[in-house]
Amino acid sequence: MGAIFQNSTDFILLGLVTHPLFPGLIFAVVFSIFVVAVTANVVMILLIHVDFRLHTPMYFMLSQLSTMDTVYICITVPKMLQDLLSKEKTISFLGCTVQVFLYLTLLGGEFFLLGLMAYDRYVAVCNPLQYPLLMNHRICLFMVIGSWVGGSLDGFILTPVTMSFPYCGSREINHFFCEIPAVLKLSCIDTSLYETLMYSCCVVMLLIPISIISVSYTRILITIHQMNSVDGRRKAFATCSSHITVASILYGAAFYTNVIPSSYHTPAKDKVVSAFYTILTPMLNPLIYSLRNKDVASALRKVLERCTSSQRIRLGNVSRKY
């Protein structure tokens, strides 16, 4: 009961930079990235919703990825921005618990979703005639729900155990959000066994989607190599390049966090890597897909043209009245 009472007190987040010389500059940079990330992901979701040409399995899963990225960046960055401007950098025990659960759920969901998106690309390139059958709406819905459920299982398993440890020492978390390794350093008891089990669980969660991606792209490369058409090869590479780029960024950061031994970790390195996949990655994902995808760029161009033409019509109607 005493441990529970002690755990109910607030934590203190020391931030991305412990003693920033120019907090206003850091705030401006992070806020700009946050605005771009949220705007780009929301625009991506809306484009996929309104343009019927984007009503395909690939873009349906991409809209789910943008949804995850939007929620993901919103659970860490607003609190980080608030702490940069205020002297009180506290976060309640409940708030910390919610952060842990949501970031585990969303990160795990992205792991599984990117793996399943690789399978979608495999079917599109290697079995195009069977694509409507193998990737019908029911299967796509099942894959997306499976990604959310798989991520939430990670959250439901690890969050209660992490937050049940007694934290009776310092309440200062050397991080800008409640990431599990940073929180566990404040525990009064030895958590090494739990950390080993947690890392093993994370490695398994990484191996499943990485295995799907490796097998899928091996088959894709074999199929592309056997193509006689240069245009066909170029189209296949264009179809897969955006996904490969996004997956490499996320899994690269996850590999450092969950696979590299803790002896190679430092608080400063951990915060930089965490900032990369919690702040930069949600901004980069929609930009990579929009800049490298002709269908998305075309849909955005059409929406902008419609908005421009409707605005001209309104201005013309107003000028006629006066």
Side-chain angles (χ1 to χ4, degrees), residues 30 36 62-63 85 175 212 227-228 246-247 258 305:
V30 174
V36 172
L62 180 57
S63 69
L85 297 180
H175 217 296
I212 296 173
M227 289 181 178
N228 296 322
V246 169
N258 301 305
E305 288 174 356

Side-chain angles (χ1 to χ4, degrees), residues 3-11 13 91-104 155-168 171 173 177-187 189 191 194 198:
I4 295 175
F5 176 75
Q6 288 172 336
N7 281 356
S8 66
T9 58
D10 294 344
F11 291 105
L13 294 171
I91 183 170
S92 67
F93 181 80
L94 177 60
C96 192
T97 303
V98 171
Q99 270 197 348
V100 170
F101 173 75
L102 288 178
Y103 98 77
L104 286 173
F156 279 119
I157 293 172
L158 297 181
T159 304
V161 180
T162 300
M163 304 312 291
S164 65
F165 285 110
Y167 298 103
C168 53
R171 313 298 292 187
I173 300 175
F177 75 103
C178 291
E179 192 171 38
I180 288 181
V183 174
L184 290 177
K185 290 179 181 178
L186 307 184
S187 176
I189 63 174
T191 60
Y194 169 64
M198 181 185 67

